[in-house]
Amino acid sequence: MKKITLEDILKSRRGESYQDQYDYIMNLINDGRISPVKSASTNGKNPPLPLRYWIIEDEADRSAYISELKYGLNYRISPDYYLHHLSLYEKDRKYVISLSEYLDKNQDALRIPVSENERSFDIWHLEKFFQKSSGFRILKNCGLGPEDMNFYTTQEPLAYYSASRKPGSVFLFIENKDTFFSIRRILIEKGGPYPILGTTISTVIYGSGKGIWKSIEDFESCVEEYMIDQRNTYLYFGDIDYEGIGIYDNLREIFTSSGRSLTPFEMAYRRMVEKAEAAGLDQMPFTREKQNRNIDTEFFRHFDSDTAGTIRSLLEDDRYIPQEILNVTDFLDR
């Protein structure tokens, strides 16, 4: 319902006597077209009239929707939610109908798993209807879940370069694109695994920030066999800020759950700190706002007390060191 003032209601009747205006307002109330706001003050006249009213809108006839929900949809769709929310069903109806028709005609297709976007397009001709959450909401309202639609989610494929496919190699995960390209360039130009700051790297993997978390969850099913050999060593290298350390923390947990270990690329981080100190820590950029500052202390255990202390002080001063502080020349310096 919407509110309206007494003045607005009587705009077209200003030339009438107060008694006629009063009778007009009372007729609107008796006809159920407006209702006085209980907390409203009155106009001070005799007889008094409230200064504010609710406009009472006609209740739409939705009896046809009730019949449709009960008898017109696929048997797998539960009508319960929408029977209690008919106005929402009116808005969602075309999507529910499309879902019902799909369930009627595509039972065989549902036996074959397809991607989330592919299933979304099959049902609604909108490939990202699930991604926008509307599809999941419609399913839930219909008493269904993603498992009933037999689809799987897809992650961004890992971008990586391998200079060797020999098991037992060192794999380096990189947070940012520029650093990934720099180290990949070294491996390509050297024609094989090559020492980066004293550690021979065979494969460099672009993490793309937080985007790597979901990709790594499917690590074993989306990479070549040599990349998951238990003899491999996995290192991580990213920005020295809350977000970069947080990415490492989450990635390490994923690796631990699969029986592998991930450690920071210690020498690269130490070199970052050394270059930052040489330039002046007060010259480092300020941390971006709204970063999650809840990081694990495990990261700091991999460094000597001086380096760990410098990193902690830098973070407390709301500054950070981007990994782009290092370039090809630094990586080749042993």
mmCIF file of all heavy atoms in Angstrom, residues 243-277:
data_model
loop_
_atom_site.group_PDB
_atom_site.id
_atom_site.type_symbol
_atom_site.label_atom_id
_atom_site.label_comp_id
_atom_site.label_asym_id
_atom_site.label_seq_id
_atom_site.Cartn_x
_atom_site.Cartn_y
_atom_site.Cartn_z
ATOM 1 N N GLU A 243 45.829 -9.496 1.320
ATOM 2 C CA GLU A 243 45.148 -10.317 0.326
ATOM 3 C C GLU A 243 46.076 -11.377 -0.239
ATOM 4 O O GLU A 243 45.681 -12.538 -0.405
ATOM 5 C CB GLU A 243 44.606 -9.426 -0.792
ATOM 6 C CG GLU A 243 43.696 -10.165 -1.754
ATOM 7 C CD GLU A 243 42.962 -9.200 -2.680
ATOM 8 O OE1 GLU A 243 41.965 -8.622 -2.237
ATOM 9 O OE2 GLU A 243 43.408 -9.033 -3.829
ATOM 10 N N GLY A 244 47.310 -11.000 -0.559
ATOM 11 C CA GLY A 244 48.260 -11.955 -1.116
ATOM 12 C C GLY A 244 48.562 -13.085 -0.149
ATOM 13 O O GLY A 244 48.626 -14.259 -0.539
ATOM 14 N N ILE A 245 48.751 -12.749 1.128
ATOM 15 C CA ILE A 245 49.015 -13.784 2.135
ATOM 16 C C ILE A 245 47.764 -14.628 2.345
ATOM 17 O O ILE A 245 47.844 -15.846 2.542
ATOM 18 C CB ILE A 245 49.485 -13.143 3.456
ATOM 19 C CG1 ILE A 245 50.819 -12.413 3.234
ATOM 20 C CG2 ILE A 245 49.639 -14.198 4.545
ATOM 21 C CD1 ILE A 245 51.299 -11.601 4.420
ATOM 22 N N GLY A 246 46.594 -13.989 2.291
ATOM 23 C CA GLY A 246 45.341 -14.731 2.430
ATOM 24 C C GLY A 246 45.141 -15.731 1.305
ATOM 25 O O GLY A 246 44.634 -16.842 1.528
ATOM 26 N N ILE A 247 45.532 -15.357 0.098
ATOM 27 C CA ILE A 247 45.436 -16.287 -1.043
ATOM 28 C C ILE A 247 46.322 -17.497 -0.782
ATOM 29 O O ILE A 247 45.923 -18.644 -0.999
ATOM 30 C CB ILE A 247 45.844 -15.584 -2.349
ATOM 31 C CG1 ILE A 247 44.815 -14.510 -2.730
ATOM 32 C CG2 ILE A 247 45.988 -16.594 -3.489
ATOM 33 C CD1 ILE A 247 45.238 -13.630 -3.878
ATOM 34 N N TYR A 248 47.529 -17.232 -0.297
ATOM 35 C CA TYR A 248 48.432 -18.341 0.034
ATOM 36 C C TYR A 248 47.829 -19.247 1.100
ATOM 37 O O TYR A 248 47.855 -20.476 0.972
ATOM 38 C CB TYR A 248 49.783 -17.802 0.503
ATOM 39 C CG TYR A 248 50.603 -18.841 1.236
ATOM 40 C CD1 TYR A 248 51.230 -19.871 0.534
ATOM 41 C CD2 TYR A 248 50.705 -18.827 2.631
ATOM 42 C CE1 TYR A 248 51.955 -20.854 1.204
ATOM 43 C CE2 TYR A 248 51.425 -19.801 3.301
ATOM 44 C CZ TYR A 248 52.045 -20.812 2.587
ATOM 45 O OH TYR A 248 52.745 -21.782 3.247
ATOM 46 N N ASP A 249 47.267 -18.650 2.155
ATOM 47 C CA ASP A 249 46.681 -19.440 3.243
ATOM 48 C C ASP A 249 45.610 -20.393 2.715
ATOM 49 O O ASP A 249 45.590 -21.584 3.058
ATOM 50 C CB ASP A 249 46.056 -18.515 4.292
ATOM 51 C CG ASP A 249 47.096 -17.789 5.131
ATOM 52 O OD1 ASP A 249 48.242 -18.266 5.191
ATOM 53 O OD2 ASP A 249 46.755 -16.752 5.730
ATOM 54 N N ASN A 250 44.699 -19.879 1.909
ATOM 55 C CA ASN A 250 43.612 -20.701 1.390
ATOM 56 C C ASN A 250 44.121 -21.768 0.437
ATOM 57 O O ASN A 250 43.650 -22.910 0.454
ATOM 58 C CB ASN A 250 42.579 -19.814 0.677
ATOM 59 C CG ASN A 250 41.680 -19.088 1.654
ATOM 60 O OD1 ASN A 250 40.691 -19.613 2.134
ATOM 61 N ND2 ASN A 250 42.048 -17.857 1.965
ATOM 62 N N LEU A 251 45.088 -21.395 -0.376
ATOM 63 C CA LEU A 251 45.651 -22.353 -1.333
ATOM 64 C C LEU A 251 46.372 -23.475 -0.597
ATOM 65 O O LEU A 251 46.273 -24.659 -0.959
ATOM 66 C CB LEU A 251 46.607 -21.615 -2.272
ATOM 67 C CG LEU A 251 46.929 -22.277 -3.608
ATOM 68 C CD1 LEU A 251 45.672 -22.553 -4.404
ATOM 69 C CD2 LEU A 251 47.869 -21.384 -4.418
ATOM 70 N N ARG A 252 47.084 -23.114 0.462
ATOM 71 C CA ARG A 252 47.810 -24.117 1.253
ATOM 72 C C ARG A 252 46.837 -25.124 1.867
ATOM 73 O O ARG A 252 47.109 -26.333 1.903
ATOM 74 C CB ARG A 252 48.627 -23.429 2.338
ATOM 75 C CG ARG A 252 49.408 -24.382 3.234
ATOM 76 C CD ARG A 252 50.197 -23.610 4.271
ATOM 77 N NE ARG A 252 49.326 -22.809 5.103
ATOM 78 C CZ ARG A 252 48.668 -23.274 6.171
ATOM 79 N NH1 ARG A 252 48.776 -24.551 6.510
ATOM 80 N NH2 ARG A 252 47.918 -22.475 6.900
ATOM 81 N N GLU A 253 45.687 -24.640 2.355
ATOM 82 C CA GLU A 253 44.694 -25.539 2.944
ATOM 83 C C GLU A 253 44.161 -26.528 1.911
ATOM 84 O O GLU A 253 43.944 -27.703 2.218
ATOM 85 C CB GLU A 253 43.541 -24.717 3.525
ATOM 86 C CG GLU A 253 43.923 -23.956 4.789
ATOM 87 C CD GLU A 253 42.738 -23.202 5.376
ATOM 88 O OE1 GLU A 253 41.607 -23.398 4.871
ATOM 89 O OE2 GLU A 253 42.938 -22.427 6.318
ATOM 90 N N ILE A 254 43.947 -26.038 0.689
ATOM 91 C CA ILE A 254 43.463 -26.918 -0.375
ATOM 92 C C ILE A 254 44.502 -27.988 -0.685
ATOM 93 O O ILE A 254 44.174 -29.172 -0.840
ATOM 94 C CB ILE A 254 43.124 -26.110 -1.637
ATOM 95 C CG1 ILE A 254 41.956 -25.153 -1.360
ATOM 96 C CG2 ILE A 254 42.765 -27.039 -2.800
ATOM 97 C CD1 ILE A 254 41.674 -24.182 -2.487
ATOM 98 N N PHE A 255 45.773 -27.597 -0.743
ATOM 99 C CA PHE A 255 46.834 -28.559 -1.012
ATOM 100 C C PHE A 255 46.956 -29.565 0.125
ATOM 101 O O PHE A 255 47.128 -30.764 -0.106
ATOM 102 C CB PHE A 255 48.171 -27.824 -1.205
ATOM 103 C CG PHE A 255 48.479 -27.493 -2.640
ATOM 104 C CD1 PHE A 255 47.820 -26.473 -3.287
ATOM 105 C CD2 PHE A 255 49.402 -28.236 -3.353
ATOM 106 C CE1 PHE A 255 48.080 -26.168 -4.602
ATOM 107 C CE2 PHE A 255 49.679 -27.947 -4.677
ATOM 108 C CZ PHE A 255 49.018 -26.911 -5.311
ATOM 109 N N THR A 256 46.863 -29.089 1.353
ATOM 110 C CA THR A 256 46.987 -29.976 2.507
ATOM 111 C C THR A 256 45.893 -31.030 2.497
ATOM 112 O O THR A 256 46.130 -32.201 2.819
ATOM 113 C CB THR A 256 46.918 -29.156 3.809
ATOM 114 O OG1 THR A 256 47.996 -28.211 3.830
ATOM 115 C CG2 THR A 256 47.038 -30.077 5.020
ATOM 116 N N SER A 257 44.679 -30.633 2.113
ATOM 117 C CA SER A 257 43.558 -31.574 2.095
ATOM 118 C C SER A 257 43.756 -32.675 1.057
ATOM 119 O O SER A 257 43.130 -33.734 1.142
ATOM 120 C CB SER A 257 42.250 -30.828 1.821
ATOM 121 O OG SER A 257 42.242 -30.279 0.512
ATOM 122 N N SER A 258 44.623 -32.438 0.063
ATOM 123 C CA SER A 258 44.876 -33.459 -0.959
ATOM 124 C C SER A 258 46.192 -34.197 -0.707
ATOM 125 O O SER A 258 46.682 -34.919 -1.573
ATOM 126 C CB SER A 258 44.901 -32.823 -2.355
ATOM 127 O OG SER A 258 45.981 -31.908 -2.484
ATOM 128 N N GLY A 259 46.767 -33.998 0.483
ATOM 129 C CA GLY A 259 47.983 -34.713 0.844
ATOM 130 C C GLY A 259 49.256 -34.111 0.286
ATOM 131 O O GLY A 259 50.297 -34.773 0.248
ATOM 132 N N ARG A 260 49.191 -32.851 -0.138
ATOM 133 C CA ARG A 260 50.378 -32.174 -0.662
ATOM 134 C C ARG A 260 50.715 -30.981 0.221
ATOM 135 O O ARG A 260 49.935 -30.606 1.088
ATOM 136 C CB ARG A 260 50.135 -31.714 -2.104
ATOM 137 C CG ARG A 260 49.920 -32.855 -3.072
ATOM 138 C CD ARG A 260 49.689 -32.320 -4.492
ATOM 139 N NE ARG A 260 49.588 -33.426 -5.429
ATOM 140 C CZ ARG A 260 48.500 -34.151 -5.627
ATOM 141 N NH1 ARG A 260 47.403 -33.849 -4.956
ATOM 142 N NH2 ARG A 260 48.486 -35.148 -6.479
ATOM 143 N N SER A 261 51.893 -30.409 -0.013
ATOM 144 C CA SER A 261 52.275 -29.225 0.755
ATOM 145 C C SER A 261 52.587 -28.077 -0.193
ATOM 146 O O SER A 261 53.013 -28.287 -1.336
ATOM 147 C CB SER A 261 53.504 -29.522 1.635
ATOM 148 O OG SER A 261 54.623 -29.852 0.822
ATOM 149 N N LEU A 262 52.345 -26.875 0.289
ATOM 150 C CA LEU A 262 52.637 -25.659 -0.460
ATOM 151 C C LEU A 262 53.341 -24.704 0.485
ATOM 152 O O LEU A 262 52.893 -24.495 1.613
ATOM 153 C CB LEU A 262 51.334 -25.025 -0.975
ATOM 154 C CG LEU A 262 51.484 -23.712 -1.743
ATOM 155 C CD1 LEU A 262 52.047 -23.973 -3.139
ATOM 156 C CD2 LEU A 262 50.135 -22.988 -1.845
ATOM 157 N N THR A 263 54.445 -24.142 0.045
ATOM 158 C CA THR A 263 55.205 -23.220 0.887
ATOM 159 C C THR A 263 55.493 -21.935 0.117
ATOM 160 O O THR A 263 55.487 -21.926 -1.122
ATOM 161 C CB THR A 263 56.539 -23.846 1.350
ATOM 162 O OG1 THR A 263 57.299 -24.238 0.186
ATOM 163 C CG2 THR A 263 56.295 -25.058 2.233
ATOM 164 N N PRO A 264 55.732 -20.838 0.834
ATOM 165 C CA PRO A 264 56.087 -19.592 0.146
ATOM 166 C C PRO A 264 57.444 -19.720 -0.544
ATOM 167 O O PRO A 264 58.332 -20.447 -0.068
ATOM 168 C CB PRO A 264 56.148 -18.563 1.278
ATOM 169 C CG PRO A 264 55.452 -19.189 2.432
ATOM 170 C CD PRO A 264 55.656 -20.662 2.296
ATOM 171 N N PHE A 265 57.594 -19.037 -1.660
ATOM 172 C CA PHE A 265 58.890 -18.973 -2.352
ATOM 173 C C PHE A 265 59.735 -17.984 -1.564
ATOM 174 O O PHE A 265 59.794 -16.797 -1.856
ATOM 175 C CB PHE A 265 58.681 -18.529 -3.793
ATOM 176 C CG PHE A 265 59.917 -18.586 -4.650
ATOM 177 C CD1 PHE A 265 61.073 -19.226 -4.226
ATOM 178 C CD2 PHE A 265 59.923 -17.994 -5.899
ATOM 179 C CE1 PHE A 265 62.212 -19.287 -5.024
ATOM 180 C CE2 PHE A 265 61.041 -18.038 -6.718
ATOM 181 C CZ PHE A 265 62.188 -18.688 -6.275
ATOM 182 N N GLU A 266 60.396 -18.504 -0.525
ATOM 183 C CA GLU A 266 61.043 -17.668 0.480
ATOM 184 C C GLU A 266 62.015 -16.657 -0.113
ATOM 185 O O GLU A 266 61.998 -15.467 0.234
ATOM 186 C CB GLU A 266 61.772 -18.554 1.500
ATOM 187 C CG GLU A 266 62.484 -17.767 2.580
ATOM 188 C CD GLU A 266 63.342 -18.661 3.457
ATOM 189 O OE1 GLU A 266 63.292 -19.892 3.301
ATOM 190 O OE2 GLU A 266 64.065 -18.111 4.300
ATOM 191 N N MET A 267 62.898 -17.092 -1.008
ATOM 192 C CA MET A 267 63.929 -16.199 -1.522
ATOM 193 C C MET A 267 63.320 -15.033 -2.299
ATOM 194 O O MET A 267 63.811 -13.894 -2.227
ATOM 195 C CB MET A 267 64.901 -16.966 -2.410
ATOM 196 C CG MET A 267 66.074 -16.117 -2.907
ATOM 197 S SD MET A 267 67.004 -15.343 -1.552
ATOM 198 C CE MET A 267 67.838 -16.786 -0.879
ATOM 199 N N ALA A 268 62.211 -15.292 -3.013
ATOM 200 C CA ALA A 268 61.575 -14.214 -3.772
ATOM 201 C C ALA A 268 60.977 -13.174 -2.822
ATOM 202 O O ALA A 268 61.104 -11.965 -3.046
ATOM 203 C CB ALA A 268 60.495 -14.782 -4.686
ATOM 204 N N TYR A 269 60.345 -13.648 -1.753
ATOM 205 C CA TYR A 269 59.779 -12.704 -0.788
ATOM 206 C C TYR A 269 60.885 -11.908 -0.087
ATOM 207 O O TYR A 269 60.745 -10.696 0.145
ATOM 208 C CB TYR A 269 58.943 -13.454 0.247
ATOM 209 C CG TYR A 269 57.587 -13.889 -0.251
ATOM 210 C CD1 TYR A 269 57.315 -15.228 -0.515
ATOM 211 C CD2 TYR A 269 56.558 -12.963 -0.445
ATOM 212 C CE1 TYR A 269 56.053 -15.635 -0.961
ATOM 213 C CE2 TYR A 269 55.307 -13.360 -0.894
ATOM 214 C CZ TYR A 269 55.064 -14.698 -1.159
ATOM 215 O OH TYR A 269 53.817 -15.087 -1.604
ATOM 216 N N ARG A 270 61.974 -12.583 0.254
ATOM 217 C CA ARG A 270 63.086 -11.880 0.902
ATOM 218 C C ARG A 270 63.663 -10.820 -0.015
ATOM 219 O O ARG A 270 63.991 -9.705 0.431
ATOM 220 C CB ARG A 270 64.171 -12.881 1.309
ATOM 221 C CG ARG A 270 63.793 -13.733 2.521
ATOM 222 C CD ARG A 270 64.833 -14.773 2.818
ATOM 223 N NE ARG A 270 66.150 -14.192 3.024
ATOM 224 C CZ ARG A 270 67.283 -14.902 3.108
ATOM 225 N NH1 ARG A 270 67.230 -16.226 2.994
ATOM 226 N NH2 ARG A 270 68.428 -14.305 3.299
ATOM 227 N N ARG A 271 63.777 -11.136 -1.308
ATOM 228 C CA ARG A 271 64.306 -10.158 -2.260
ATOM 229 C C ARG A 271 63.349 -8.966 -2.396
ATOM 230 O O ARG A 271 63.783 -7.823 -2.530
ATOM 231 C CB ARG A 271 64.533 -10.819 -3.613
ATOM 232 C CG ARG A 271 65.192 -9.910 -4.654
ATOM 233 C CD ARG A 271 66.558 -9.402 -4.201
ATOM 234 N NE ARG A 271 67.477 -10.475 -3.892
ATOM 235 C CZ ARG A 271 68.251 -11.083 -4.798
ATOM 236 N NH1 ARG A 271 68.198 -10.708 -6.066
ATOM 237 N NH2 ARG A 271 69.076 -12.048 -4.438
ATOM 238 N N MET A 272 62.044 -9.215 -2.330
ATOM 239 C CA MET A 272 61.070 -8.123 -2.359
ATOM 240 C C MET A 272 61.289 -7.173 -1.186
ATOM 241 O O MET A 272 61.286 -5.945 -1.345
ATOM 242 C CB MET A 272 59.646 -8.679 -2.311
ATOM 243 C CG MET A 272 59.172 -9.354 -3.576
ATOM 244 S SD MET A 272 57.546 -10.150 -3.358
ATOM 245 C CE MET A 272 56.476 -8.701 -3.186
ATOM 246 N N VAL A 273 61.468 -7.756 -0.008
ATOM 247 C CA VAL A 273 61.670 -6.939 1.189
ATOM 248 C C VAL A 273 62.966 -6.142 1.071
ATOM 249 O O VAL A 273 63.014 -4.949 1.414
ATOM 250 C CB VAL A 273 61.682 -7.825 2.451
ATOM 251 C CG1 VAL A 273 62.105 -7.012 3.682
ATOM 252 C CG2 VAL A 273 60.316 -8.451 2.686
ATOM 253 N N GLU A 274 64.026 -6.772 0.579
ATOM 254 C CA GLU A 274 65.314 -6.087 0.430
ATOM 255 C C GLU A 274 65.189 -4.891 -0.510
ATOM 256 O O GLU A 274 65.709 -3.795 -0.222
ATOM 257 C CB GLU A 274 66.367 -7.062 -0.093
ATOM 258 C CG GLU A 274 66.786 -8.129 0.916
ATOM 259 C CD GLU A 274 67.650 -9.221 0.281
ATOM 260 O OE1 GLU A 274 67.929 -9.120 -0.929
ATOM 261 O OE2 GLU A 274 68.018 -10.177 0.997
ATOM 262 N N LYS A 275 64.514 -5.061 -1.633
ATOM 263 C CA LYS A 275 64.361 -3.958 -2.583
ATOM 264 C C LYS A 275 63.476 -2.859 -2.000
ATOM 265 O O LYS A 275 63.720 -1.663 -2.230
ATOM 266 C CB LYS A 275 63.773 -4.454 -3.904
ATOM 267 C CG LYS A 275 64.735 -5.261 -4.747
ATOM 268 C CD LYS A 275 64.268 -5.385 -6.197
ATOM 269 C CE LYS A 275 64.400 -4.085 -6.950
ATOM 270 N NZ LYS A 275 64.092 -4.235 -8.402
ATOM 271 N N ALA A 276 62.476 -3.246 -1.235
ATOM 272 C CA ALA A 276 61.592 -2.252 -0.624
ATOM 273 C C ALA A 276 62.355 -1.446 0.429
ATOM 274 O O ALA A 276 62.189 -0.220 0.531
ATOM 275 C CB ALA A 276 60.383 -2.934 0.006
ATOM 276 N N GLU A 277 63.195 -2.127 1.211
ATOM 277 C CA GLU A 277 63.993 -1.424 2.217
ATOM 278 C C GLU A 277 64.973 -0.475 1.563
ATOM 279 O O GLU A 277 65.199 0.639 2.047
ATOM 280 C CB GLU A 277 64.724 -2.435 3.098
ATOM 281 C CG GLU A 277 63.810 -3.192 4.057
ATOM 282 C CD GLU A 277 64.562 -4.236 4.861
ATOM 283 O OE1 GLU A 277 65.520 -4.835 4.314
ATOM 284 O OE2 GLU A 277 64.185 -4.458 6.021
#
